[in-house]
């Protein structure tokens, strides 16, 4: 087992419904620690850069519009196998397919407005954490 850091984002559908605390309780109850956190209103350029890997996908424009439709909370989660642990706590991308008890099953509104983002590999986690945080903003 390895201690990892991963990037989590609480998306605009969840901040709008005041669900930040309820979502973060799920991470803390499962042993992940929030070691960096900030609330941001992303610009279009920032959202396009963050989701650059999805630029060719049909839903890219809608995804960017959604991600700038309200504030997000970007955060660094730390713990044993944090990348996979976070993905399991989040549940499947489409809430219709998410396991009961996961964040997306319980809170997501749709495949797009699915309440949370989580890095899908350690390599992407390192890149995504660095996108939003400098080392001085993370205290483990
Ligand atoms: P993930 O967030 O579970 O890793 P990805 O396939 O990487 O899923 O997609 C990134 C985000 O794009 C999703 O979380 C969701 O907000 C949005 N998205 C994914 N598939 C669709 C779709 O078919 N329609 C609209 N939005 C989508």
């Amino acid at each position: 087992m390895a201690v990892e850091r991963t990037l989590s984002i609480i998306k605009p559908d969840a901040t709008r419904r005041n669900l930040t605390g309820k979502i973060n309780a799920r991470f803390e109850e499962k042993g992940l620690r929030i070691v960096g956190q900030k609330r941001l209103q992303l610009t279009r350029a920032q959202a396009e850069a963050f989701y650059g890997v999805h630029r060719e996908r049909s839903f890219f424009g809608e995804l960017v519009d959604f991600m700038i439709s309200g504030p997000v909370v970007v955060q660094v989660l730390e713990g044993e196998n944090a990348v996979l642990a976070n993905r399991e706590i989040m549940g499947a991308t489409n809430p219709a397919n998410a396991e009961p008890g996961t964040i997306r099953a319980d809170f997501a509104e749709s495949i797009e407005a699915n309440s949370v983002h989580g890095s899908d590999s350690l390599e992407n986690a390192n890149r995504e954490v660095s996108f939003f945080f400098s080392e001085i903003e993370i205290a483990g």
Side-chain angles (χ1 to χ4, degrees):
M1 299 279 261
V3 174
E4 297 173 350
R5 286 177 176 170
T6 190
L7 187 82
S8 164
I9 304 178
I10 300 179
K11 295 184 178 182
D13 66 290
T15 60
R16 178 170 41 78
R17 288 175 290 151
N18 216 17
L19 292 171
T20 299
K22 280 193 173 132
I23 288 172
N24 280 335
R26 304 288 181 100
F27 298 131
E28 294 186 335
E29 282 159 7
K30 295 269 169 61
L32 293 178
R33 305 181 71 83
I34 301 164
V35 298
Q37 186 179 58
K38 51 195 170 189
R39 187 174 171 104
L40 304 171
Q41 172 63 54
L42 294 179
T43 65
R44 182 170 295 278
Q46 287 167 337
E48 287 177 351
F50 181 76
Y51 277 118
V53 292
H54 294 313
R55 200 172 286 276
E56 302 307 322
R57 293 172 81 171
S58 58
F59 56 80
F60 179 72
E62 287 165 32
L63 175 60
V64 168
D65 285 345
F66 164 62
M67 290 299 288
I68 65 174
S69 67
V72 295
V73 177
V74 296
Q75 48 195 18
V76 183
L77 305 180
E78 184 181 85
E80 295 283 349
N81 294 325
V83 173
L84 184 60
N86 180 37
R87 297 288 301 189
E88 288 176 356
I89 296 165
M90 289 163 54
T93 308
N94 185 345
N97 301 329
E99 290 289 321
T102 60
I103 290 169
R104 284 168 165 170
D106 291 350
F107 299 124
E109 295 182 324
S110 67
I111 190 170
E112 176 182 85
N114 59 4
S115 300
V116 280
H117 166 84
S119 310
D120 62 4
S121 69
L122 190 55
E123 185 186 349
N124 283 339
N126 292 335
R127 186 177 56 77
E128 291 178 359
V129 167
S130 301
F131 185 91
F132 285 113
F133 291 89
S134 59
E135 204 43 49
I136 200 171
E137 295 175 303
I138 304 172

